[in-house]
Amino acid sequence: VDIFVEEASDLLDHSDGLLAQLREAPTERETLVGLQRDLHTLKGGARMAGIMAVGELGHAMESLLEAVVEHRSELGRDGIPMLERGFDRLHAMVTRVGARRAIGMPEQLIAEFDARARGQTLAALAVPSEDPDPSWFLDVLTSPPPAGVRSDPEPGGRGLTTLCTLVADLTAGRP
């Protein structure tokens, strides 16, 4: 995980520079291809490290850029701010992974990128909000662990995996 975090941080820093170039020249093909390449590498590394949320968001962003480069879709006037939101979320997710903190699947943001790649807007799709009142999550974090769940790190570094599984189980069926 540490190697992934280091490489992902480098890729995201490089992408930030490309994003600044894209702001100056929104139709520059080489900049779009460079961002696409960085996202492809990030996606692969995330998936190999088992960090699927980063991999899925990276894939959705890469797919949009691929569609733009191949003239199947357009970024539109809000496309660059949308990419900025995606890269900001990737930075935050990688930072949390580096701090051994759980991350969630950014389903709403992924849906936005997927819709744009198909030439649609999210308003045309009925996607529920991913940001319901998060106060229930604080109860989960501050409550004592259920019987049989260790609160100390597990041998072999599986504590994060167990935490992610527990959070996934607890959030299943939540609005």
Side-chain angles (χ1 to χ4, degrees):
V1 171
D2 292 333
I3 292 171
F4 165 74
V5 169
E6 183 178 334
E7 290 180 0
S9 295
D10 290 345
L11 282 167
L12 291 171
D13 288 344
H14 182 257
S15 294
D16 287 344
L18 291 174
L19 201 51
Q21 292 176 24
L22 190 62
R23 273 187 232 103
E24 298 298 318
T27 58
E28 182 61 40
R29 186 179 193 285
E30 286 306 308
T31 305
L32 293 166
V33 169
L35 285 167
Q36 185 182 350
R37 188 177 315 113
D38 284 353
L39 287 165
H40 180 79
T41 304
L42 178 70
K43 171 190 74 175
R47 287 177 171 174
M48 285 183 5
I51 306 166
M52 300 311 288
V54 171
E56 292 304 307
L57 178 55
H59 174 71
M61 294 172 67
E62 176 192 12
S63 295
L64 170 59
L65 290 171
E66 180 180 296
V68 170
V69 167
E70 294 176 358
H71 304 290
R72 290 182 283 117
S73 185
E74 294 181 5
L75 272 181
R77 65 180 181 84
D78 63 335
I80 293 175
M82 182 180 182
L83 285 170
E84 290 170 336
R85 281 194 357 255
F87 279 108
D88 286 348
R89 180 69 67 92
L90 287 170
H91 272 288
M93 293 167 77
V94 168
T95 298
R96 288 183 64 88
V97 168
R100 304 295 193 264
R101 297 180 67 196
I103 57 173
M105 186 67 70
E107 294 174 8
Q108 179 78 15
L109 193 53
I110 290 169
E112 290 178 43
F113 280 104
D114 288 345
R116 180 63 62 89
R118 291 188 308 270
Q120 299 173 321
T121 62
L122 195 56
L125 305 173
V127 177
S129 171
E130 75 175 78
D131 294 323
D133 178 16
S135 61
W136 67 269
F137 192 68
L138 293 175
D139 294 337
V140 171
L141 292 177
T142 57
S143 300
V149 175
R150 297 172 52 138
S151 60
D152 59 326
E154 295 180 34
R158 305 258 323 142
L160 181 60
T161 302
T162 301
L163 176 62
C164 291
T165 302
L166 178 61
V167 169
D169 290 345
L170 291 171
T171 59
R174 296 264 183 185

